[in-house]
């Protein structure tokens, strides 16, 4: 059985870099979509756009766009090392308990509690060695090429740009459908981007400090082996049972050549408690 490391090690650096930048673009679009569907910013602050031939939403505030771009770039630096277990867009309850949309009373959850997590399991993500500065500069120049110009670089037998984009499109569509079915969150919620590293990975600390290390609160789910084409991976099923989430909704497994990752949505026990508290307040 061929592992992800075996497949990715045969990829030239040009193809590997384009694969990573393609995922970065997908993650950027996904984050903007999450901000829109979960109403973390007013709907009028978003522009309608298209990505992967799919209607999407992009926040138009320059500082929000800069934050998302910088956050995704920091994630990419960790991804390329192969040490990232998963990436999560985490939505927290309001830091000010009096901003909740019901009369003031003792809050059922601490301020800043995790309400939802939009998780991308990258434990099987391809890795490659860090290129030299000259090679890195040459590759960066290729990022300014159009997709038509870059597509010939993806003629590796295991890569298919059309299939990759279709996989991204399907994942974004399924995620949007899942978010439309979620119960609303209170006004004033905040969000952040988190990464969970593998056991043998060192925390990304130092100067310049992009990340804030934190102690793990729950063990991650046991990684599952990749299945063959058409197979199903259910590595997220145990998270609700271990207390990480009250409800876990699988979104999609993305499999396009050497790129393989899984997506799901977690609703926390704190969110369930907040919903029950809000319903009780409305009945008073």
């Amino acid at each position: 059985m061929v592992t992800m490391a075996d497949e990715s090690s045969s990829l030239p650096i040009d193809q590997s870099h384009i694969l990573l930048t393609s995922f970065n673009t997908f993650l950027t679009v996904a984050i903007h979509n999450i901000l829109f569907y979960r109403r973390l910013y007013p709907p009028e602050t978003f522009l309608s756009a298209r990505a992967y031939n799919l209607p999407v939403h992009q926040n138009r505030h320059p500082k929000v766009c800069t934050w998302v771009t910088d956050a995704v770039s920091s994630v990419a630096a960790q991804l390329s090392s192969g040490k990232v277990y998963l990436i999560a867009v985490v939505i927290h309850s309001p830091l000010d308990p009096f901003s909740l949309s019901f009369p003031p009373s003792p809050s059922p959850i601490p301020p800043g509690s995790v309400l939802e997590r939009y998780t991308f399991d990258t434990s099987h993500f391809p890795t490659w060695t860090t290129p030299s500065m000259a090679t890195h500069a040459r590759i960066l120049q290729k990022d300014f090429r159009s997709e038509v110009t870059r597509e010939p670089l993806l003629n590796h037998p295991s890569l298919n740009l059309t299939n990759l984009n279709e996989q991204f499109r399907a994942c974004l569509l399924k995620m949007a459908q899942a978010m439309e079915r979620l119960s609303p969150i209170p006004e004033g919620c905040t969000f952040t981007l988190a990464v969970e590293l593998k056991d043998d990975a060192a925390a990304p600390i130092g100067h310049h400090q992009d990340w804030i290390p934190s102690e793990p609160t729950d063990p991650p789910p046991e990684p599952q082996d990749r299945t063959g084409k058409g197979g199903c991976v259910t590595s997220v099923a145990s998270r609700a049972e271990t207390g990480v989430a009250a409800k876990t909704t699988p979104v999609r497994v993305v499999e396009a050549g050497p790129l393989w990752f899984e997506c799901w949505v977690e609703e926390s026990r704190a969110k369930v408690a907040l919903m029950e508290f809000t319903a009780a307040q409305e009945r008073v």
Side-chain angles (χ1 to χ4, degrees):
M1 176 177 174
V2 180
T3 65
M4 283 301 301
D6 294 332
E7 293 181 16
S8 61
S9 61
S10 64
L11 286 177
I13 186 64
D14 287 0
Q15 283 86 346
S16 299
H17 182 79
I18 293 176
L19 199 63
L20 178 61
T21 54
S22 297
F23 178 79
N24 292 349
T25 301
F26 160 78
L27 184 59
T28 300
V29 174
I31 292 174
H32 279 279
N33 258 9
I34 293 170
L35 300 183
F36 173 81
Y37 282 103
R38 304 314 290 148
R39 294 185 173 271
L40 291 167
Y41 295 101
E44 57 269 20
T45 65
F46 288 84
L47 297 172
S48 296
R50 295 190 72 83
Y52 311 110
N53 198 29
L54 182 74
V56 296
H57 306 275
Q58 179 181 353
N59 192 279
R60 59 184 180 181
H61 195 288
K63 289 187 177 180
V64 175
C65 294
T66 299
W67 188 95
V68 172
T69 300
D70 291 345
V72 171
S73 296
S74 297
V75 168
Q78 300 302 316
L79 271 178
S80 62
S81 67
K83 301 300 184 181
V84 177
Y85 190 91
L86 60 81
I87 304 166
V89 180
V90 186
I91 298 179
H92 298 264
S93 65
L95 297 176
D96 179 8
F98 293 101
S99 66
L100 298 176
S101 54
F102 42 74
S105 58
S107 175
I109 60 175
S113 297
V114 173
L115 300 181
E116 296 174 353
R117 283 170 39 119
Y118 298 82
T119 306
F120 305 86
D121 179 356
T122 57
S123 57
H124 297 288
F125 205 86
T127 61
W128 58 91
T129 56
T130 304
S132 65
M133 291 302 296
T135 304
H136 185 66
R138 175 175 58 83
I139 294 171
L140 287 179
Q141 291 179 353
K142 295 178 180 178
D143 288 342
F144 295 96
R145 298 178 177 181
S146 66
E147 291 293 334
V148 175
T149 308
R150 292 165 61 198
E151 187 168 1
L153 295 173
L154 291 173
N155 56 6
H156 188 276
S158 65
L159 291 177
N160 185 305
L161 183 61
T162 301
N163 181 42
L164 180 63
N165 288 340
E166 285 298 317
Q167 292 280 337
F168 287 154
R169 180 184 186 277
C171 187
L172 289 171
L173 180 59
K174 290 281 290 183
M175 185 174 293
Q177 293 171 345
M179 289 188 288
E180 288 177 335
R181 293 191 293 266
L182 294 177
S183 57
I185 55 178
E187 295 181 1
C189 288
T190 61
F191 73 98
T192 190
L193 188 63
V195 295
E196 292 184 15
L197 303 179
K198 297 178 181 178
D199 292 338
D200 60 343
I205 57 177
H207 184 79
H208 171 70
Q209 183 65 39
D210 292 328
W211 297 97
I212 301 175
S214 63
E215 293 295 329
T217 55
D218 294 281
E222 291 297 324
Q224 303 293 318
D225 291 334
R226 293 179 61 189
T227 63
K229 293 184 178 180
C232 179
V233 176
T234 56
S235 62
V236 304
S238 62
R239 293 184 72 87
E241 300 171 1
T242 59
V244 178
K247 181 180 179 181
T248 302
T249 304
V251 174
R252 187 177 176 86
V253 174
V254 173
E255 184 174 12
L259 184 64
W260 188 98
F261 63 92
E262 186 179 6
C263 307
W264 67 86
V265 180
E266 299 175 5
E267 296 177 89
S268 70
R269 299 184 185 276
K271 181 183 178 182
V272 173
L274 184 60
M275 291 169 54
E276 293 173 349
F277 181 77
T278 304
Q281 291 291 316
E282 292 174 348
R283 290 193 298 267
V284 174

